[in-house]
Amino acid sequence: MAAPTRRPHCRRLILLCALLGMLWEARAGQIRYSVPEETEKSYIVGNISKDLGLETRELAERGVRIITKGKTQLFSLSPRSGCLVTAGRIDREELCAQSAPCLLSFKVLVEDRVKLYGVEVEVIDINDNAPKFEDENLIVKISEIAAPGARYSLPEAIDPDVGINSLQSYQLSPNRHFSLHLQTGDDGTINPELVLEHTLDREEESTHHLVLTAYDGGDPRRSSTALIQVTVLDTNDNAPVFDQQVYRVKVLENVAPGTLLLTVRASDPDEGANGKVTYKFRKINEKQSLLFHLHENTGEMTVAKNLDYEECSLYEMEIQAEDGGGLKGRTKVVVTVEDVNDNRPEVTITSLFSPVREDAPPGTVIVLFNAHDQDSGRNGQVVCSIQENPSFKLENSVDDYYRLLTAQILDREKASEYNITVTATDRGTPSMSTEVHITLYVADINDNPPAFSQTSYSVCLPENNPRGTSIFSVSAHDPDENENAKVTYSLVENTIQGAPLSSYVSMNSDTGVLYALQSFDYEQFRSLQMQVKASDNGHPPLSSNVSLSVFLLDQNDNAPKILYPSLPTDGSTGVELAPRSAEAGYLVTKVVAVDKDSGQNAWLSYRLLKASEPGLFTVGLRSGEVRTARALLERDALKQSLVVAVQDHGQPPLSATITLTVAVADSIPDILADLGSINTPADPDSDITLYLVVAVAVVSCVFLLFVLVLLALRLQRWHASHLLQDAMGGSTGVPTSHIVGVHGVQTFLQTYSEEFSLTPDSGKSHLIFPQPNYADTLISQESCGKSDPLCNSVESKFPIDDTPLVPQAPPNTDWRFSQAQRPGTSGSQNGDETGTWPNNQFDTEMLQAMILASASEAADGSSTLGGGAGTMGLSARYGPQFTLQHVPDYRQNVYIPGSNATLTNAAGKRDGKAPAGGNGNKKKSGKKEKK
């Protein structure tokens, strides 16, 4: 039974110890100082930096400052000494009146810690006030019949000091009729009373003058005096008596002036003037005398001015009633002012940390503020709240201090500033509230790279642009601000055809405008691919890239170039042969041209611009084939001059022309015979041309003679001089060239191609003189064997032992192409001059492949075209050294019209009949193609 009884006592002891520990901790957290009143400014109250555990220099660094609720700042912090000093004169009586002790409380904020410390300063009273009588001249009326020992109240002196410095005693000047008696009340106040020692005789002395002195207990001791005049009256033996010793009344602070508070009433049984009572305030200070009014005759006490609970909630005063005989009575009045909710809460912002970085972590303190209400009770209880905002939250820090914190990471790009409304509401009825608007700015950080409006850009630029042309402008937006949003543009380094990109284009770093540094050529490259980089000026800088494609647009800046027939290098005009027996549609030659441009600018059309005999020849519009328009007649001139124009379809169109000379004859001897019978009209230009032709002929003869001499010397060295001497002895002068002039235009009709093959270490040699090759119609082998002196001389004058002279097979005059051999769409229809152009990439690639294949076959001697191996028929005019290897490669944008004729290298005998080519024998050609 003893153990259970002790356990409750142990628990109570433990709880008591815990409570004492909490109280001691709370008291230890409070900093206390004391300072005497009336000290000079900057008086050191205490070393607060030491008490806070801080160095002197840390006061400013940590933002230590004083927070008070009052309007007057009584204390300040000295940054040099780190001490708490007075900010001015401190009057204890003004601050605390009669309250003791006089404690001043305030808070000290350490801003970087966001921590508050309570400081309490006790103002110590000094004897700076002397006792003071409310009325320094007092008249006391005493009846002459008053008995000795009668007491009369004297006015009290008021000393605002407290403690020992307050009023301590009174002293009356010496008088044989009167003495002074001091009466101490329950509240410690001393009330002086005048005591009648001896009976008065008005007739003997009607007036007595006394001096009452009041003393305090301070050091030095202070005092004040009041003059008392005692008037001896006739008999009045009853003093006024109040109904109550103490009157108490409660009044709301918002009552209107003039409101009746109470009515005091005193009765006097005397009659006449001795029974008439008048009322007046006694022991009331100046402030109270302005707030209340007492009717002198009725004793009604009313409110003179508006009351304020927050200024004073309790008023105490005395009312004195005096009859006509001079007798007095007194009572005490206590007025209690009750609070009403007439004050709105006050919000004081202590610290505002703005702007705040947008990457501030959640829980960052934004605002520290104080919310208080001057009302009391529930009217003074304040509750703070903010509008619903997920970015912020409100916490109650210490007492009536609140902290506004971030609840999540902010984003300046979504909201650069926040208008936060803090509402402070009291708990009164009806409640009152106050709103405070706080503007919080969000500081930007570089967290967004520049962004382009498109994922890629493309622009078309005509070629041949001037240098410095503005090509395109890119723009990137950075949602950050200031330097973080300032965008600079640049090009990512790259190379185009081995040259740096910066040699072609440049970009304005501020505006993003792309400029051309040179004039572009579509035939050089079709497009420019680059990467544009947009960087901001943040730290660290952020960037983004976008692809920019510049596509060049072709312009018609290249005229068609004629590949075949090509003009001789000596400036003369090439000659084509047409037999006299040619019928209508006979293919004389074909003009082949290319254009470096592409698309419509490379579509070529051919037309006959000028002819010496109109209506005799036609030119294919798409194919460029020169054909006879009708059968040739004997009356047709030997030499026909044709000017063929090749024009593209660009805007404006460009063109090229070539002059063709067509010789109308069946063979070279016929041409010579016909030319011999032609009388050339006198023409000054023809004489000049004749001189030039003669000069060329002489040079050719000299060159041939030099070759023959050199050959003879070489053969002589190989010990075959006897054979060479016979050959040289029997040789006759052979013309080195046949030069024919027709209508003033001299033309080389044949070209000799010599091949010498000398075998070293042998007495035998191989000498080949191939027959001359002509443009279109050549002499047959039979006619050469019968009548051509050149062939005879070669075969007879150069007999070499056991080495046959191998003649070269003459080319076939059949120019027809089979359906499978036609290279493009222009040859897809036999004889169609209005064929369509290639309209897709597949046809173009086929043409390119066929051209390359033909060039390859010509290079290795495997071509099926006539006129010599690998020459595509061109060596018939220009010799075996001319192959398609000399033709430029225009694989990108060349369209070569087709043809319905083919050159065959068929070896066989020619019977001298008219060739079976052209349109005159289409059916026969078709049968061959089917086979």
Side-chain angles (χ1 to χ4, degrees), residues 570 691-701 736-737 739 748:
D570 57 2
Y691 297 152
L692 294 176
V693 172
V694 171
V696 172
V698 171
V699 172
S700 301
C701 292
T736 60
S737 63
I739 304 171
F748 287 101

Side-chain angles (χ1 to χ4, degrees), residues 261-272:
L261 297 179
L262 55 85
T263 301
V264 295
R265 192 175 299 275
S267 59
D268 193 333
D270 294 329
E271 295 181 352

Side-chain angles (χ1 to χ4, degrees), residues 598-659:
S598 64
Q600 185 175 350
N601 297 328
W603 295 355
L604 302 181
S605 59
Y606 304 82
R607 62 190 178 91
L608 185 61
L609 187 63
K610 182 179 178 182
S612 58
E613 187 171 346
L616 182 58
F617 296 96
T618 61
V619 177
L621 178 64
R622 305 299 182 193
S623 63
E625 296 175 349
V626 180
R627 296 178 180 272
T628 56
R630 57 178 175 79
L632 298 179
L633 305 177
E634 293 297 333
R635 59 181 175 80
D636 293 333
L638 172 64
K639 182 256 185 183
Q640 299 290 336
S641 179
L642 306 178
V643 178
V644 178
V646 183
Q647 180 175 313
D648 57 28
H649 287 71
Q651 294 296 331
L654 301 177
S655 61
T657 59
I658 185 171
T659 302

Side-chain angles (χ1 to χ4, degrees), residues 376-397:
S376 63
R378 292 184 59 83
N379 296 333
Q381 297 177 4
V382 181
V383 177
C384 294
S385 62
I386 60 173
Q387 294 175 343
E388 188 127 352
N389 192 328
S391 301
F392 304 97
K393 61 181 179 179
L394 194 63
E395 287 184 357
N396 190 349
S397 178

Side-chain angles (χ1 to χ4, degrees), residues 502-821:
S502 57
S503 63
Y504 292 95
V505 291
S506 68
M507 175 162 285
N508 189 309
S509 61
D510 296 327
T511 61
V513 177
L514 184 69
Y515 295 96
L517 297 181
Q518 57 179 267
S519 180
F520 299 134
D521 187 1
Y522 178 84
E523 288 70 38
Q524 184 180 1
F525 51 81
R526 304 291 180 87
S527 63
L528 293 173
Q529 305 291 335
M530 64 196 74
Q531 290 284 327
V532 179
K533 181 180 180 181
S535 304
D536 56 28
N537 287 352
H539 296 285
L542 301 178
S543 62
S544 60
N545 293 355
V546 69
S547 61
L548 173 60
S549 302
V550 179
F551 298 99
L552 298 181
L553 299 179
D554 183 45
Q555 289 185 328
N556 194 24
D557 57 343
N558 291 283
K561 182 177 180 180
I562 298 176
L563 300 180
Y564 180 83
S566 61
L567 297 178
T569 58
D570 57 2
S572 61
T573 305
V575 176
E576 304 291 341
L577 294 181
R580 289 281 183 178
S581 60
E583 298 179 359
Y586 175 80
L587 177 64
V588 178
T589 186
K590 183 175 182 178
V591 178
V592 179
V594 295
D595 196 319
K596 291 183 179 180
D597 296 323
S598 64
Q600 185 175 350
N601 297 328
W603 295 355
L604 302 181
S605 59
Y606 304 82
R607 62 190 178 91
L608 185 61
L609 187 63
K610 182 179 178 182
S612 58
E613 187 171 346
L616 182 58
F617 296 96
T618 61
V619 177
L621 178 64
R622 305 299 182 193
S623 63
E625 296 175 349
V626 180
R627 296 178 180 272
T628 56
R630 57 178 175 79
L632 298 179
L633 305 177
E634 293 297 333
R635 59 181 175 80
D636 293 333
L638 172 64
K639 182 256 185 183
Q640 299 290 336
S641 179
L642 306 178
V643 178
V644 178
V646 183
Q647 180 175 313
D648 57 28
H649 287 71
Q651 294 296 331
L654 301 177
S655 61
T657 59
I658 185 171
T659 302
L660 303 176
T661 300
V662 179
V664 180
D666 293 332
S667 62
I668 296 298
D670 294 342
I671 296 175
L672 298 178
D674 292 341
L675 292 177
S677 62
I678 296 175
N679 295 324
T680 303
D683 190 354
D685 295 334
S686 64
D687 294 339
I688 298 175
T689 306
L690 179 62
Y691 297 152
L692 294 176
V693 172
V694 171
V696 172
V698 171
V699 172
S700 301
C701 292
V702 172
F703 174 74
L704 182 59
L705 181 60
F706 173 76
V707 171
L708 294 176
V709 171
L710 181 61
L711 179 62
L713 293 176
R714 297 290 292 178
L715 293 177
Q716 186 178 7
R717 290 180 182 180
W718 290 100
H719 309 288
S721 60
H722 59 283
L723 297 176
L724 294 177
Q725 288 176 358
D726 296 339
M728 292 297 293
S731 63
T732 59
V734 179
T736 60
S737 63
H738 295 281
I739 304 171
V740 180
V742 180
H743 298 294
V745 179
Q746 306 301 324
T747 306
F748 287 101
L749 297 180
Q750 72 179 46
T751 301
Y752 290 96
S753 175
E754 296 86 7
E755 178 181 351
F756 298 92
S757 177
L758 303 179
T759 305
D761 302 331
S762 175
K764 298 180 181 180
S765 299
H766 182 201
L767 177 63
I768 298 176
F769 279 86
Q771 296 182 2
N773 298 328
Y774 299 97
D776 291 337
T777 304
L778 303 180
I779 304 172
S780 65
Q781 191 172 14
E782 289 81 0
S783 61
C784 180
K786 294 178 181 180
S787 60
D788 192 349
L790 178 61
C791 294
N792 291 334
S793 62
V794 169
E795 293 177 357
S796 60
K797 301 301 180 180
F798 292 87
I800 301 176
D801 294 343
D802 299 332
T803 303
L805 183 64
V806 181
Q808 183 178 3
N812 187 12
T813 58
D814 188 0
W815 286 60
R816 291 186 301 273
F817 279 79
S818 66
Q819 187 70 20
Q821 291 174 327

